[in-house]
Amino acid sequence: MEQAEAALEAKEQAKKASFEYTGKLAAETNKVSGIALQFTEPPEARQPSVRWRLYVFKDGAPLEDPLFIHRQSCYLFGRERKVADIPIDHPSCSKQHAVIQYRLIEKEPQRYYELFEKDTLKFGNSR
């Protein structure tokens, strides 16, 4: 008899709505063209006030015109052309390889590295 009461009570609790955070909504909103993004913008993400440009080089020579990277708060680099803002075609790079993220906070000891003018970025084994 006690087992039946416990089972009935468990069934009633399962019917009650749970308003706890599951992360499913965030997972659905973090997709582009049906592809789940590995990166989520932090709450302190902002569009930069400085007009930044990124110059692309291959074997030491300029490859094309500079990329104007001040128009959005982040830029995704990678081989997956459906989601990458700046495609990388080198096979040593992953589909979603790196992100440049503009943030309001000046310093924070996480996985962010501050970039400065004239810094050089190299992705994978590309030259």
Side-chain angles (χ1 to χ4, degrees), residues 43-107:
E44 65 273 7
R46 299 291 185 274
Q47 190 167 346
S49 57
V50 178
R51 300 183 83 185
W52 291 101
R53 288 176 285 187
L54 185 68
Y55 294 89
V56 180
F57 292 88
K58 178 137 179 104
D59 295 323
L63 194 59
E64 53 191 50
D65 292 335
L67 303 172
F68 297 98
I69 58 169
H70 62 274
R71 296 177 178 150
Q72 354 183 128
S73 61
C74 74
Y75 289 86
L76 174 64
F77 294 80
R79 288 185 298 122
E80 183 65 63
R81 289 186 176 268
K82 288 183 179 179
V83 295
D85 298 306
I86 302 172
I88 302 173
D89 293 327
H90 201 274
S92 67
C93 294
S94 59
K95 291 180 181 179
Q96 298 178 35
H97 196 76
V99 174
I100 289 182
Q101 173 69 63
Y102 297 101
R103 301 171 55 222
L104 183 62
I105 296 175
E106 291 182 18
K107 304 258 184 216

Side-chain angles (χ1 to χ4, degrees), residues 106-120:
E106 291 182 18
K107 304 258 184 216
E108 190 171 309
Q110 284 188 343
R111 58 184 185 175
Y112 295 99
Y113 296 97
E114 186 174 0
L115 296 177
F116 298 98
E117 188 175 345
K118 298 184 181 180
D119 277 355
T120 302

Side-chain angles (χ1 to χ4, degrees), residues 31-48:
K31 286 187 176 183
V32 173
S33 301
I35 298 172
L37 295 178
Q38 303 296 319
F39 175 75
T40 303
E41 282 197 84
E44 65 273 7
R46 299 291 185 274
Q47 190 167 346

